[in-house]
Amino acid sequence: MEAHESEPIVGRDAELARLFRAVDSATADPVLLLLGDVGMGKSALLDRVVRRAEAGGARVLRAEGSESESSLAFSALHQLLRPVSAEVDELPERQRAALYGAFGAGPATADGDLMLIGVAVLSVLSALGERGHVLVVLDDAQWIDRASVDVLSFAARRLAGEPVTMLVAARVGDHLPGFDRHVPTLALRPLDDAGAGRLLDLQSHSPTGRTRTQILDQAEGNPLALTELARAAAAPGPTAKSSSAGPLPLTAHLERIFAARLDDLPASTTRALLLLAAMDTVDSAIAVPAAVPNAEDEAWPPAERAGLIRRTARDLRFSHPLVRSAVYHAAPFAARREAHLALAELLRDEPDRRAWHLAAAATRPDADVSAELERTADRARRRGGHAAAAQALQRAADLAPRPEDTARLFVEAAAEAALTGDLAWVEELATAVRARTDDASLLAEVAAQVGRLAVLTVRHSVVFPQLVDAAEELASAQPSTALDVLAGAAVVRYYSGQDAQQYRIEAALRGLHENASHAWLRTWVRAVSDPFDDRAELLALFPRVAAEARRRPDRLTAYAVMAWLLDETPQAVRAFDEAFDRWGLRGVLPEGLGGAAAWSYVEQGRWGRAREACARSSAVGSTAGLDHAVACAAAVDATVLAYQGDPTAARARADEALALIDPLESRSVSVFARRALGAAALAEGAHETAYDQLRAVFTAEGVPVHYHASYPALADLAAAAVRADRHAEADAIVERAARTLADNASPRLRALISRARGLLADPEDAEPHFRAALADPVLEHWPFERAQTLLDLAEWLRRRRRIAEARAPLTEALETFRRLGARPWIERARAESRAAGLDVTDAAPDALAELSPQQQQIIRLAARGLTNREIGEKLFLSPRTVSSHLYRSFPKLGITARAQLRDLIEGPWRQPTTGTDGTPGHRCSHLTHTAWPTTEPDWPRGERDSNPLAFTRPRLPRARTGTAHRVEGTDIHGG
């Protein structure tokens, strides 16, 4: 019930103070989740906070979830932003188009890019924050449509540093994706006996005696129950009797109280209430004038006196969501049907809302209504509202007269539900398909949908046998789908790293007949599940795989993943560049092995690009509620932070990754996180700690914990072992790995093994190993690893008093570390260079090195000419946050204008070429890691097919130009 300023809120002083602090304090958390059972007073508390904020000059944006609108994509977001349409109009074109497309007010952006919509919302809130504090209030959030929840949770995670507070109220026990982890929570508990008594004393007819005791017992401290039971007890007739009804759940008991009040109302009032209950909030604005009496009509006072509605300056509202539910469900079905048909007739210009009203009125299967819902689903899909599309298709299936249409629609609903990350829902729809058809193709397709989502969860030991069982069942009737499902099982095998799973994959592959059209997926399964089993044969298949990727750009990222797995990093990077830049692939789900892109960029020394990929993957994974994808991104990000010399941040990110997974279920992520922790310890010179972390990526017997992720740790393990006096143990691990890999070791792994041998060898025997690690020119595609080896060789040479020979590798190593921004290794190389008699006095590079990794990333993008808004789009930050980082960075760099950034980044000491992300590339002129065509390839638009990663469809490339804009002399803001 609404609490007016003159009405005290009893027993909630502490909670109200906590809410006031959240809004008033500049240091408070930007998001607070208010949880409570129905009737606990969440809305009353929010009303009080809103009035206080408005009185203090804050801008308040508010949206209320509605059960009837939960199936309409972006309805809550539209409700929230409708009052600030002028600010939406001022957004950059892409962001503005994305928002209007989501609202159905313009053409939908390709694939309904939720990330772009989220950045647009963040930009609007940031722009409003420039004028004063902003309060965003989301009430009854358990009923907010999923598309709005995804976008708002995306923005909420990026509000730090913004003058924006978001208060989110929801019922206890309801899952709210994106707001249910790491969000501060305020839980409303039942009132204590004293508080409950004070609330009863404030009622107009305060109960006494046995009635009072009975109310206190029944209400159990629930404020709504206390007030409504007291009101019911004071009323004559059937309403009073309902207050002492038998033992019902509190919610049902309250609904009965509200429903009982309908009995004494005039028929015109009852009809008006039912129409209001059947509407949603936007219906009200459209249909109330035609269908419902206006606010001054004589139908409303009886309902207001009964406590069922309240009139505001703008509209009529039910006094509580339970009242709406009671009114609706107390009416006979015939009356509800008549109300929905009347509303459908009035909403002919609102086809989605009309379709749902027709569906609510349907008494039997109806092909026309089913078709209307299909069209609604298509519109929701194109706007990125996949949950709304799945709901519409599911209801369309229920209303389809023909069984074959029912099964088909359930399959399509499963495909859309898969894109929400809700595996339980997809499995529910798959069960519905199996119950309604024996069509092999439909059964195969729904099995594939379950598999495509299942591989992205943390349930590896549960999911893997389900996928392989399905592949084996489909092998004879649907071999293509069987191989598709097996491709997903291979991804699970990679994540889990369990060797027993490889044996099942091999057996399942043998059970599938060879077919030329299956070559792509067979190669995928083999490369993902065991890249070092006959590597030469897999590489021999690569020209055909690459040609397929050129013909089918929807397979481009899969090709890039395979290249990365086989240590063909240059090919992987070129393909990932093509996918991300030219085709703009941004999906609503993380891609299978999505961390491969970030790892490829890390290995090739493009650390800024790697962190961009991590930001994208983490944002998508968080929105979809897929912890495994978030953990993968965190592990890669931790590694880059360690290399850049921020061990504290690196440990935090690695710990985040480990907290999200079970190390026995997700060996790949566990190993990557341990490698990051080892790198952080090496950066600090904590060699014992580094050795312990890196030793953990091999078993007690020295076997790799993960068949692919463990091997690149060999050289760092050796480096830590030398300084931790663990030579013998590390040497045994390195030699065992060398024997296991044998001829299947890639040039990169052979170089790492050689470096490890050089570090662990007796001093007189080390040089040949270091030289072998540097011999192959292709190894320059792994610049950080090569520079580490150069530094090791130089140190060895200087200690042998071969100082003149040490200077060339020292110079090259130091130059590479500087280009990469590897601060701990810069310092180590500088110290070694001084000892070798080299002049290393150069202040300019150190200025950039003083920035945090994120500030360096922003500076490099700004140096390329990107505006703050464009940088924000790439890094999922608000323009205000970008501007703040630039403001803090400029004094450290000794510059005052944005135009000076390019000279700083590409000055004389940085003459070697830069990568496409603004991070430096390699000095050696013979290297070409941008060899994909610079002109637009004549590729068709991609389509979803049997590609195990094909959750997204490529879009036609778009042109973009970025220019810096001077603002207020300092040139910080840049657009």
Side-chain angles (χ1 to χ4, degrees), residues 46 145 173 352 414 504 530 547 717 770 952:
L46 291 179
D145 65 279
D352 295 337
R504 285 211 65 186
D530 198 351
L717 175 72
F770 288 136
T952 60

Side-chain angles (χ1 to χ4, degrees), residues 827-882:
E827 292 307 312
R828 182 178 152 197
R830 283 166 62 90
E832 191 66 27
S833 297
R834 291 191 193 96
L838 292 171
D839 182 6
V840 290
T841 57
D842 50 355
D846 291 340
L848 191 64
E850 286 302 311
L851 304 181
S852 72
Q854 186 170 65
Q855 287 171 340
Q856 291 185 40
Q857 197 175 4
I858 290 170
I859 287 292
R860 287 178 172 128
L861 291 171
R864 288 166 50 193
L866 274 69
T867 67
N868 291 356
R869 280 172 166 168
E870 290 168 333
I871 295 171
E873 279 190 24
K874 292 183 76 68
L875 302 182
F876 304 108
L877 301 171
S878 74
R880 179 189 178 91
T881 299
V882 173

Side-chain angles (χ1 to χ4, degrees), residues 479-739:
S480 295
T481 305
L483 195 53
D484 185 19
V485 174
L486 196 61
V491 175
V492 178
R493 145 73 171 158
Y494 184 88
Y495 285 145
S496 70
Q498 295 183 25
D499 290 336
Q501 294 179 351
Q502 176 60 18
Y503 306 140
R504 285 211 65 186
I505 287 176
E506 291 172 352
L509 267 182
R510 288 193 298 270
L512 286 164
H513 295 299
E514 292 279 356
N515 185 310
S517 65
H518 297 164
W520 169 275
L521 282 177
R522 279 185 170 273
T523 305
W524 167 268
V525 171
R526 291 179 57 193
V528 172
S529 61
D530 198 351
F532 300 128
D533 177 29
D534 205 346
R535 180 175 180 272
E537 182 183 343
L538 285 171
L539 286 178
L541 298 171
F542 249 49
R544 180 174 178 177
V545 171
E548 182 78 3
R550 286 181 177 277
R551 290 194 303 269
R552 299 288 300 276
D554 54 316
R555 288 182 166 176
L556 190 57
T557 51
Y559 163 72
V561 168
M562 287 187 276
W564 171 71
L565 289 166
L566 293 168
D567 273 339
E568 295 295 312
T569 303
Q571 294 183 53
V573 166
R574 290 195 293 269
F576 280 128
D577 278 347
E578 190 75 25
F580 295 149
D581 287 347
R582 193 172 298 279
W583 291 100
L585 281 175
R586 285 188 183 139
V588 291
L589 284 186
E591 298 179 14
L593 294 179
W599 277 119
S600 298
Y601 292 127
V602 170
E603 291 167 10
Q604 200 167 71
R606 298 170 62 186
W607 295 348
R609 186 70 156 187
R611 297 203 71 202
E612 285 179 35
C614 289
R616 179 190 301 114
S617 182
S618 183
V620 174
S622 296
T623 298
L626 296 172
D627 289 347
H628 201 270
V630 178
C632 289
V636 188
D637 210 27
T639 304
V640 177
L641 289 165
Y643 290 167
Q644 291 177 323
D646 193 345
T648 301
R651 279 191 293 271
R653 290 291 274 155
D655 290 343
E656 178 185 346
L658 291 170
L660 290 171
I661 54 99
D662 179 342
L664 296 179
E665 285 272 314
S666 301
R667 288 174 172 82
S668 61
V669 175
S670 176
V671 166
F672 287 136
R674 294 294 171 195
R675 282 171 49 187
L677 290 169
L682 283 173
E684 294 178 306
H687 299 112
E688 288 278 0
T689 301
Y691 184 81
D692 290 341
Q693 292 292 351
L694 296 166
R695 180 64 182 83
V697 308
F698 296 90
T699 67
E701 296 76 25
V703 175
V705 170
H706 189 274
Y707 62 92
H708 178 263
S710 291
Y711 286 122
L714 287 167
D716 283 345
L717 175 72
V722 168
R723 293 165 176 83
D725 196 22
R726 307 289 285 274
H727 287 71
E729 187 178 37
D731 185 68
I733 292 172
V734 171
E735 294 308 317
R736 178 167 189 158
R739 289 193 303 272

Side-chain angles (χ1 to χ4, degrees), residues 407-544:
R408 171 185 61 81
L409 289 166
F410 274 129
V411 171
E412 292 182 17
E416 293 302 314
L419 296 174
T420 70
D422 190 338
L423 183 58
W425 190 10
V426 179
E427 289 174 333
E428 173 194 332
L429 292 164
T431 300
V433 174
R434 297 186 195 106
R436 287 165 174 81
T437 187
D438 56 4
D439 184 306
S441 62
L442 290 176
L443 292 172
E445 173 61 19
V446 80
Q449 295 299 342
V450 173
R452 285 172 179 153
L453 179 55
V455 301
L456 299 174
T457 70
V458 295
R459 298 166 44 188
H460 303 316
S461 61
V462 174
V463 166
F464 181 84
Q466 293 175 347
L467 294 176
V468 179
D469 288 348
E472 290 171 347
E473 290 172 8
L474 294 165
S476 57
Q478 296 286 326
S480 295
T481 305
L483 195 53
D484 185 19
V485 174
L486 196 61
V491 175
V492 178
R493 145 73 171 158
Y494 184 88
Y495 285 145
S496 70
Q498 295 183 25
D499 290 336
Q501 294 179 351
Q502 176 60 18
Y503 306 140
R504 285 211 65 186
I505 287 176
E506 291 172 352
L509 267 182
R510 288 193 298 270
L512 286 164
H513 295 299
E514 292 279 356
N515 185 310
S517 65
H518 297 164
W520 169 275
L521 282 177
R522 279 185 170 273
T523 305
W524 167 268
V525 171
R526 291 179 57 193
V528 172
S529 61
D530 198 351
F532 300 128
D533 177 29
D534 205 346
R535 180 175 180 272
E537 182 183 343
L538 285 171
L539 286 178
L541 298 171
F542 249 49
R544 180 174 178 177

